[in-house]
Amino acid sequence: MTDGMDTATTDAYLRRLGVERPARPTPDALRELHLRHLRTVPFENLSVHLGEEIVLDEKRLLDKVVEARRGGFCYELNGAFGALLTALGYDVTLLAARVYGEGGRLGIPYDHLALRVRTEGGGDWLADVGFGSHFHLPLAVGERGEQRDPAGVFRVAEAEADAAGVRGGHEASDAADLDVLRDGRPVYRLETRPRTLADFTAGVWWHRTSPHSHFTRSLVCSRVTEDGGRITLSGRRLTRTAPDGTRQERETGSDAEVLGTYRDEFGIRMDAVPTVRGGGTGG
């Protein structure tokens, strides 16, 4: 999936995550990388409201996550993380997913980007550091039973027919699409066909321009905390969620306080407070 990250960029990425370069592409190393990514690289949509272009080019993604020490949304975070994993010797495949919305309706094609990662010894894992509140540790793709995680009980299941009567797969030998469920509720429907970064261009465009995209309607910056909880700045509202789900919310005050929160809690330095631009403004 990549032309290859150079050693300096790989090392800088690992320094940002606060982990040593793994000796081999093992499941244990993948779990550590995944969790550290969720703790250090925030899920955020600030570019949508800062008028910044989002380009699905590996170097541009790495410049943003590694050099600029920013976060991003699924296409950016999983795109960059996939490049890192590939550089570390993992076998990485980009997968497209459609997120379940109100009434169980599926979102647009290329709604979400997730990673299928094969590890040393034949392990087959679903990794996803770009969905916001989601599993903390990779899920076993082939496991159909419950998989317990700090964020809940997850399950990977073969999908039933969708509204068009399709279960996925393009030939008789293909596997059906997979539904990823959290605490019994479907989160997204995953296609098993490999994709490239460029395939998701239309999804990026829709999410950063459509008035129906939740990314154009609100500001979010969020990461997992060291204790397994979550901290989120949504506009000016700061929410701390404990591992047991209890929440503390407060409104930040001045622009200086907002900018200080972005800096101190998420490592993002900005000169001005981003504000919601509204949907349908991009192109």
Side-chain angles (χ1 to χ4, degrees):
M1 61 158 283
T2 173
D3 295 329
M5 288 171 57
D6 59 45
T7 301
T9 304
T10 304
D11 289 344
Y13 205 147
L14 293 170
R15 281 196 301 274
R16 178 165 191 201
L17 301 186
V19 296
E20 299 292 326
R21 179 186 285 262
R24 303 190 317 279
T26 63
D28 283 346
L30 174 63
R31 280 189 282 268
E32 181 184 21
L33 290 162
H34 196 277
L35 184 57
R36 288 301 307 167
H37 207 287
L38 292 171
R39 288 176 176 173
T40 57
V41 184
F43 176 84
E44 49 105 334
N45 68 337
L46 304 183
S47 288
V48 173
H49 302 287
L50 292 170
E52 297 172 348
E53 194 177 12
I54 299 171
V55 180
L56 293 187
D57 171 81
E58 186 177 287
K59 184 181 185 305
R60 293 282 292 271
L61 299 183
L62 293 169
D63 284 347
K64 183 175 182 179
V65 170
V66 180
E67 300 301 323
R69 303 184 74 82
R70 284 279 302 280
F73 55 7
C74 68
Y75 312 105
E76 301 168 286
L77 297 180
N78 284 323
F81 189 49
L84 173 65
L85 294 177
T86 300
L88 296 175
Y90 291 95
D91 180 6
V92 178
T93 302
L94 306 186
L95 299 180
R98 299 172 69 189
V99 180
Y100 280 95
E102 293 180 8
R105 289 189 297 271
L106 287 166
I108 63 167
Y110 302 103
D111 201 10
H112 181 62
L113 187 162
L115 305 173
R116 187 169 191 165
V117 184
R118 291 179 170 87
T119 58
E120 182 179 87
D124 190 6
W125 303 91
L126 176 63
D128 192 345
V129 296
F131 195 76
S133 181
H134 203 31
F135 51 80
H136 292 187
L137 301 169
L139 301 180
V141 173
E143 171 60 53
R144 295 293 173 261
E146 292 183 344
Q147 301 187 53
R148 296 191 175 276
D149 182 88
V153 178
F154 289 82
R155 192 161 61 87
V156 179
E158 286 201 6
E160 299 295 332
D162 64 13
V166 176
R167 296 178 66 242
H170 300 273
E171 298 176 3
S173 60
D174 286 348
D177 293 345
L178 300 173
D179 276 342
V180 177
L181 299 94
R182 178 184 185 181
D183 297 331
R185 296 175 62 87
V187 178
Y188 54 62
R189 177 163 293 197
L190 197 67
E191 296 179 5
T192 57
R193 176 181 176 180
R195 300 293 184 181
T196 68
L197 259 181
D199 290 335
F200 294 87
T201 301
V204 172
W205 175 82
W206 190 88
H207 276 300
R208 65 177 289 268
T209 63
S210 171
H212 301 292
S213 165
H214 56 271
F215 290 116
T216 62
R217 299 196 302 262
S218 62
L219 279 160
V220 65
C221 187
S222 182
R223 67 173 179 84
V224 172
T225 52
E226 293 293 325
D227 64 1
R230 176 169 289 276
I231 183 169
T232 301
L233 184 60
S234 182
R236 291 178 178 264
R237 175 167 295 180
L238 184 66
T239 303
R240 296 182 186 272
T241 306
D244 65 3
T246 56
R247 296 155 62 97
Q248 292 182 329
E249 297 185 3
R250 70 175 179 86
E251 293 292 325
T252 52
S254 65
D255 284 3
E257 185 181 359
V258 176
L259 294 173
T261 301
Y262 278 119
R263 181 189 65 239
D264 298 339
E265 299 291 356
F266 304 101
I268 295 175
R269 297 178 180 274
M270 292 181 290
D271 297 325
V273 174
T275 57
V276 174
R277 302 175 70 197
T281 58

